[in-house]
Amino acid sequence: MEAVIAVIALLFVLFVAAGAYATVKAVGAAKRGVDRTLTQARRTVEDHTLRAKSFAQPGPAGELAQLRLALRTSMRATQDALHAGATEDESLKESLALFERLSAHGHELDAELRRLESEPDRAALAARLPEMRERTERITGAADSLRWAARDRARRFADDDLDMLSAQIDVEAGALRHWTGTDADGPAAPPPPWPETPGADAAASGQARPQDARPHPEGQADPRPAGEAERPAITPPGPRPAYPWERKTRPESTT
C-alpha cells in the first residue's frame, strides 16, 4: 500500500513539474512575442517620425533625420537579407559575423545622431554634419555591399540550378521524341509471321485421306494395313440399353 501511495505521489509531482515547465515556456514565448511586437511598433513610429522630420524641418535638423533614416533602412534590409540567406547557404555565416561588427558601428552612429538632434547650437551642429554624413555613407555602403553580394550569390545559385534543370529537360524531351528518328530513316521492318497452329496440319491430312480410299488398279496392293482397310468408315451403333421404367414394345400384329 505504501508503494502505491509513493508511486501516486511521484506521478503527481511529475505532473506538477511538467505543468510548471509548460507554463513558464508559454509565458516566455508570450513575453517574447509582446516584446517583438512592441519593438516593431516602436521602430515603425521612429521611422515615420524621422521621415516627417526630414521633410518638415529644414537645415541641419532635417539632414540629421535623413541620415538616421538612411542608416536604419540600410542596416535593417541587410540584416534581413543575410538572415534569410544563411538558412540555405552556410557560407553566409561569415558574412553575418562581419555584419554584427558593422552593426555595432551603426548603433553607435545612430545614438550619436539622436543626441545631435537635441543640440541647441546650430553652428556646432552644422560643423559636425560633414563628419556624420561621411560615417553614415561608409557604414551604409558596407551594408549595401554585403546585401547585394548575398543577393547576387543567391541569384547565381538559382541560375545554375535553372540551367541544369533546363539541360535535363532537353535530354528528357529528346528521349521522348526518339520515334521521329526511326520514321525518318524509312519504314520499319515487318514483324515476323506467327507460327502455324497444329490444326492446320491435321486439316490438310484429313483432306488428303479420301484420295487414299479410291480403288487401286489391278495388280497393285493396298498400301494400308489389312486391319485398317477392312475397318468400316462409320462405327455401327451398339445395342440400346433398356431401363426398368420404359414400357416393353409389343410386336406388330399381322392380319
Side-chain angles (χ1 to χ4, degrees):
M1 188 63 182
E2 296 178 356
V4 175
I5 296 175
V7 170
I8 294 175
L10 180 61
L11 291 177
F12 178 76
V13 171
L14 290 177
F15 285 145
V16 171
Y21 178 77
T23 303
V24 171
K25 294 293 288 185
V27 171
K31 184 177 182 300
R32 287 192 297 270
V34 172
D35 293 341
R36 185 164 52 250
T37 303
L38 292 176
T39 302
Q40 183 68 25
R42 184 168 55 251
R43 183 184 303 168
T44 303
V45 171
E46 289 180 357
D47 291 344
H48 285 291
T49 303
L50 290 174
R51 190 173 289 105
K53 286 182 179 180
S54 63
F55 288 106
Q57 295 180 357
E63 189 171 355
L64 284 176
Q66 292 179 0
L67 292 178
R68 287 193 64 195
L69 185 61
L71 176 65
R72 293 163 64 90
T73 303
S74 177
M75 297 297 287
R76 189 179 304 121
T78 304
Q79 179 180 3
D80 295 341
L82 291 179
H83 280 287
T87 57
E88 300 178 357
D89 190 359
E90 295 292 334
S91 61
L92 289 181
K93 290 184 177 181
E94 184 176 356
S95 300
L96 274 174
L98 294 176
F99 176 75
E100 294 297 333
R101 295 173 57 186
L102 181 65
S103 182
H105 292 278
H107 285 296
E108 182 181 355
L109 176 61
D110 184 67
E112 189 171 355
L113 291 174
R114 187 186 300 109
R115 288 193 299 268
L116 289 176
E117 286 180 351
S118 59
E119 177 64 37
D121 190 355
R122 299 298 176 182
L125 181 60
R128 294 287 305 274
L129 272 179
E131 179 187 356
M132 297 294 101
R133 189 183 305 111
E134 181 184 0
R135 288 179 60 185
T136 303
E137 291 176 353
R138 290 181 61 184
I139 293 176
T140 56
D144 294 343
S145 178
L146 277 177
R147 183 175 68 255
W148 285 109
R151 290 177 178 176
D152 292 341
R153 181 180 179 85
R155 185 174 61 253
R156 179 60 181 174
F157 284 161
D159 292 340
D160 292 343
D161 189 26
L162 181 59
D163 293 341
M164 184 181 301
L165 180 60
S166 299
Q168 293 177 357
I169 290 176
D170 292 340
V171 172
E172 182 65 19
L176 292 176
R177 296 191 183 97
H178 183 64
W179 77 86
T180 56
T182 58
D183 293 343
D185 296 339
W194 292 98
E196 296 182 357
T197 58
D201 299 337
S205 61
Q207 292 177 359
R209 184 170 300 172
Q211 298 179 0
D212 299 339
R214 290 179 298 178
H216 296 276
E218 297 181 358
Q220 294 184 2
D222 190 354
R224 295 179 298 176
E228 185 179 356
E230 297 175 356
R231 186 177 58 186
I234 300 176
T235 305
R240 183 173 178 272
Y243 298 97
W245 60 82
E246 292 183 352
R247 299 176 60 183
K248 296 182 179 180
T249 58
R250 298 179 178 179
E252 297 182 359
S253 59
T254 55
T255 55

